[in-house]
Amino acid sequence: MPKKEVKITKKIESKCKYIFVVGGVISGVGKGVAASSIGRILSDRDLRVTSIKIDPYINIDAGTMNPTEHGEVFVLDDGDETDQDMGNYERFLDVDLERANYMTTGRVYESVIRKERNLEYNGKCVEVVPHIPLEVIRRIEEARDKANAEVVIIEVGGTVGEYQNMLFLEAARMMKIKNDKGVFFVMVSYLPIPSKVGEMKTKPTQYAVRTLNASGIQPDIIIARSQLPLDDRRKEKISMFCNINQGHIISAPDVDNIYDIPLNFEKEGLSNIICEAMDIKCISNTNEDAKRWAKFVKSTHSYKDTLNIAIVGKYFNTGDFTLSDSYLSVIEAVKYSAYTSGVKPILTWISSMDFEKDPKSINKLSGYDGIIVPGGFGERGVEGIIKVIEYARENNIPYFGLCYGMQLLVIEYARNVLKLKDANTREVNPNAKSIIIDIMEDQKEKIEKKKLGGSMRLGAYIAHLKKGSVAMKAYKTDVISERHRHRYEVNNAYREALEKAGLVFSGVSPDGKLCEIAELPDTKHPFFLGTQFHPEFKARPLSPHPLFTAFIKSCIKNKSK
Ligand code: GLN
């Protein structure tokens, strides 16, 4: 996939600019997407932008957090397990981020305590203030330097007034004192419209601004999230009571499509407002990427047809909302490939456990143009998933398995084609006779010693592709790099037998020992492919993922049959 080159142009005379994005009133109103969109519109003006996410948790990374509560664990090239907002930044900015771009309270304290043990504070008493905020600032500067950034956007997790993010706001305040024009605050606030009142209310935003003021910070811009656009009366009120120039209050009504947001911000002149207020010198017009972005957004509104895609997993007691957050990158990856192929994807979440309870209900899958099984852990729902894969294989429905979805594909093939009836993964049944998917050698000790945080096989690894395979035809190259997050792998003891039975391991690690892609040739099935890695982490609006695109194209063909 084409990577965006880091352009070394010196458009800015002054030093780097820092934009802090904080939340007011309530969480979950799109602070991450707002921060990503600000990044997009500034990089569309040829500025080198990098983004940082601050998560106020004690956790060292997001890898130990439950995705149905906290959202997807987004894996970076360097293997860092981060918050789903990091995925939004990568997708909106079309850049690869690194560990330095993600910060948690746990990380900050861990390094301060380590430095103290190494006598790096020269005998001083190490205090929460200033040493914690100073470490926060050091990390922000590290991310800036690594990206050679002209603008750093820093999203502070949570909402203002929470105890947990106070030290991060203190770091921001300290930066502002030293660099007035270089540090800027955007508050993403929420304006409710109570149903019985029928009027948009500004008071919660006024309180949120005062709470931020109590941390010594005055917002420069308010992004006013609401169901409806902001009217002039509301802008006047916020301006008057929050001490903000009326032109710096940006209306951000609900949208169906998050990719419209950068364009909506620009309708309000946001990049001009930021550049003028912060004295940023940049090109006055937007660049080629901006045109490509607009073209992509247009495709999301001008599709000719729809596709019905089933996403099958062990879903259990979770509503649609949390599910779509847990698999955010998968959903977005499907969208990019679908829209740029002229179709709108309609995704249905299907619990594999339904098929365990009622095996006949599997026939309802015939109504779908394609099936995806995303990543997962544990034994729940696995038997149902294997039934689904069998159904997709036998009924020529395009099937795309991601990580666990690939491992279970191989097990299905071993059971039903190789006739190894008790084929399984050690993760589910360590006593099975045919362990087709086994624990990776270096993972055994980690599990035994309970070294579980950040210890999976993580991040980008290279794979070599087989000539003529479905994978290679999609990628149009024979060497790829993709991101991983797993502990188990295909057991090589069964590889030859599986290959003899027709399964193709079309992607393998450079030493040939690790199976990265399993597929059936396109002469045998329209699309039956699984990846040990997570291709969804590298799909971008401006560069849809080749495997998702190949899957979508086969779904389109399947539908037209
Ligand atoms: N549970 C499997 C493993 O650890 C698959 C992981 C995943 O789907 N991310 O290998």
Side-chain angles (χ1 to χ4, degrees):
M1 260 163 290
K3 240 192 226 158
K4 196 171 169 183
E5 293 270 316
V6 176
K7 293 172 246 157
I8 312 288
T9 48
K10 264 276 147 273
K11 293 240 166 55
I12 294 188
E13 280 94 44
S14 56
K15 285 191 295 182
C16 178
K17 307 288 181 180
Y18 305 87
I19 301 173
F20 284 89
V21 180
V22 301
V25 183
I26 52 172
S27 60
V29 290
K31 184 154 45 87
V33 172
S36 306
S37 300
I38 294 172
R40 178 75 250 158
I41 58 178
L42 293 178
S43 60
D44 282 347
R45 299 188 61 173
D46 263 4
L47 292 162
R48 232 169 14 257
V49 181
T50 196
S51 293
I52 296 175
K53 168 79 194 232
I54 293 179
D55 257 343
Y57 309 100
I58 301 285
N59 303 57
I60 294 291
D61 56 44
T64 52
M65 290 187 238
N66 182 348
T68 53
E69 279 166 32
H70 185 70
E72 170 183 85
V73 179
F74 187 81
V75 181
L76 306 181
D77 267 347
D78 63 15
D80 202 14
E81 297 175 282
T82 71
D83 181 81
Q84 63 182 30
D85 278 326
M86 295 288 284
N88 282 326
Y89 307 157
E90 283 203 346
R91 293 188 279 265
F92 275 71
L93 292 174
D94 203 13
V95 294
D96 296 327
L97 298 174
E98 40 188 310
R99 192 173 294 267
N101 295 77
Y102 184 59
M103 201 185 316
T104 65
T105 298
R107 279 185 187 188
V108 174
Y109 270 85
E110 191 187 44
S111 26
V112 170
I113 292 168
R114 187 179 31 77
K115 283 183 197 163
E116 185 277 329
R117 292 288 81 188
N118 294 346
L119 276 183
E120 286 178 42
Y121 291 104
N122 297 322
K124 280 209 183 78
C125 169
V126 183
E127 300 188 84
V128 171
V129 178
H131 293 105
I132 297 296
L134 285 175
E135 171 61 20
V136 172
I137 296 171
R138 189 199 66 72
R139 284 170 171 265
I140 292 172
E141 291 174 348
E142 183 190 350
R144 171 202 66 196
D145 293 345
K146 288 204 155 173
N148 190 20
E150 294 165 311
V151 178
V152 184
I153 297 172
I154 307 123
E155 181 191 345
V156 182
T159 41
V160 296
E162 277 173 34
Y163 180 75
Q164 323 194 55
N165 55 29
M166 255 156 54
L167 291 166
F168 297 106
L169 294 178
E170 177 63 2
R173 188 194 65 78
M174 284 161 68
M175 286 177 73
K176 175 83 177 169
I177 295 216
K178 290 217 172 137
N179 182 4
D180 189 33
K181 276 256 171 187
V183 178
F184 203 67
F185 294 97
V186 176
M187 177 187 268
V188 180
S189 193
Y190 187 69
L191 287 88
I193 307 176
S195 60
K196 291 282 183 285
V197 182
E199 186 191 63
M200 191 184 288
K201 295 306 228 178
T202 64
K203 194 75 89 203
T205 297
Q206 296 177 39
Y207 285 134
V209 171
R210 279 184 208 172
T211 308
L212 185 60
N213 288 160
S215 303
I217 294 170
Q218 167 65 25
D220 298 285
I221 283 183
I222 296 217
I223 293 185
R225 289 278 301 106
S226 188
Q227 237 174 305
L228 300 172
L230 214 60
D231 59 7
D232 284 345
R233 178 86 193 95
R234 255 33 65 168
K235 284 196 178 181
E236 275 164 29
K237 270 193 162 179
I238 298 175
S239 168
M240 172 63 76
F241 297 115
C242 302
N243 274 319
I244 293 175
N245 176 340
Q246 207 171 310
H248 285 197
I249 299 163
I250 307 295
S251 170
D254 289 350
V255 288
D256 289 329
N257 175 356
I258 55 169
Y259 300 101
D260 284 335
I261 293 172
L263 305 178
N264 291 353
F265 280 179
E266 280 305 60
K267 280 185 200 142
E268 302 261 314
L270 186 56
S271 74
N272 269 337
I273 295 172
I274 295 175
C275 292
E276 267 167 38
M278 296 191 83
D279 217 4
I280 298 177
K281 295 187 181 53
C282 56
I283 55 165
S284 54
N285 239 323
T286 46
N287 60 17
E288 278 307 308
D289 275 358
K291 286 183 200 139
R292 291 173 62 216
W293 186 270
K295 192 174 160 208
F296 165 71
V297 174
K298 200 169 162 209
S299 78
T300 67
H301 295 286
S302 55
Y303 47 87
K304 288 181 222 72
D305 202 357
T306 56
L307 275 187
N308 279 315
I309 295 175
I311 307 192
V312 183
K314 62 170 176 184
Y315 312 131
F316 190 67
N317 285 347
T318 41
D320 279 353
F321 174 74
T322 46
L323 277 180
S324 51
D325 258 19
S326 322
Y327 295 105
L328 188 61
S329 297
V330 177
I331 300 170
E332 300 310 300
V334 169
K335 283 187 197 164
Y336 308 149
S337 291
Y339 285 128
T340 49
S341 307
V343 290
K344 177 192 166 91
I346 296 169
L347 303 177
T348 308
W349 303 93
I350 297 182
S351 168
S352 59
M353 291 158 80
D354 297 351
F355 308 126
E356 291 173 9
K357 279 184 236 129
D358 174 13
K360 280 209 196 97
S361 67
I362 196 96
N363 290 320
K364 75 177 180 194
L365 289 175
S366 66
Y368 292 91
D369 306 312
I371 298 169
I372 294 176
V373 171
F377 296 84
E379 63 179 299
R380 191 175 282 152
V382 156
E383 288 304 317
I385 295 178
I386 294 173
K387 290 252 170 315
V388 169
I389 300 172
E390 179 184 4
Y391 186 88
R393 185 175 54 77
E394 290 191 335
N395 293 281
N396 288 321
I397 300 176
Y399 171 80
F400 193 12
L402 313 172
C403 204
Y404 216 12
M406 174 265 202
Q407 296 175 352
L408 299 176
L409 173 160
V410 181
I411 291 171
E412 187 280 321
Y413 208 78
R415 281 192 192 176
N416 298 319
V417 182
L418 270 189
K419 305 290 178 206
L420 298 172
K421 282 297 164 209
D422 80 334
N424 219 322
T425 161
R426 189 177 293 280
E427 187 173 357
V428 170
N429 181 9
N431 301 319
K433 261 200 266 115
S434 315
I435 298 283
I436 304 293
I437 305 293
D438 208 348
I439 184 86
M440 299 184 80
E441 204 41 49
D442 61 337
Q443 290 290 332
K444 281 184 193 158
E445 200 188 312
K446 290 176 185 167
I447 292 188
E448 269 160 28
K449 293 196 173 154
K450 282 210 158 254
K451 285 195 175 156
L452 298 175
S455 67
M456 288 188 224
R457 178 170 181 252
L458 290 167
Y461 287 90
I462 282 179
H464 291 180
L465 304 184
K466 198 173 229 151
K467 282 216 170 66
S469 63
V470 174
M472 190 168 154
K473 283 183 205 160
Y475 279 102
K476 299 190 176 68
T477 174
D478 56 359
V479 183
I480 57 163
S481 168
E482 293 281 4
R483 298 180 186 174
H484 299 69
R485 185 171 189 254
H486 63 113
R487 293 193 199 275
Y488 297 82
E489 62 174 331
V490 172
N491 182 350
N492 283 327
Y494 290 94
R495 209 155 126 185
E496 215 187 300
L498 286 160
E499 279 175 327
K500 272 203 184 126
L503 196 62
V504 178
F505 291 105
S506 56
V508 291
S509 56
D511 64 5
K513 289 191 180 146
L514 218 140
C515 295
E516 295 277 23
I517 305 177
E519 63 174 53
L520 280 182
D522 47 13
T523 47
K524 299 251 170 67
H525 195 282
F527 191 95
F528 189 75
L529 183 147
T531 59
Q532 182 57 81
F533 48 84
H534 290 269
E536 67 270 24
F537 292 144
K538 290 190 60 169
R540 310 257 169 92
L542 299 186
S543 49
H545 194 285
L547 285 182
F548 277 92
T549 303
F551 168 70
I552 289 292
K553 295 236 185 290
S554 76
C555 296
I556 295 173
K557 252 199 206 156
N558 183 36
K559 182 177 180 175
S560 64
K561 265 196 306 190

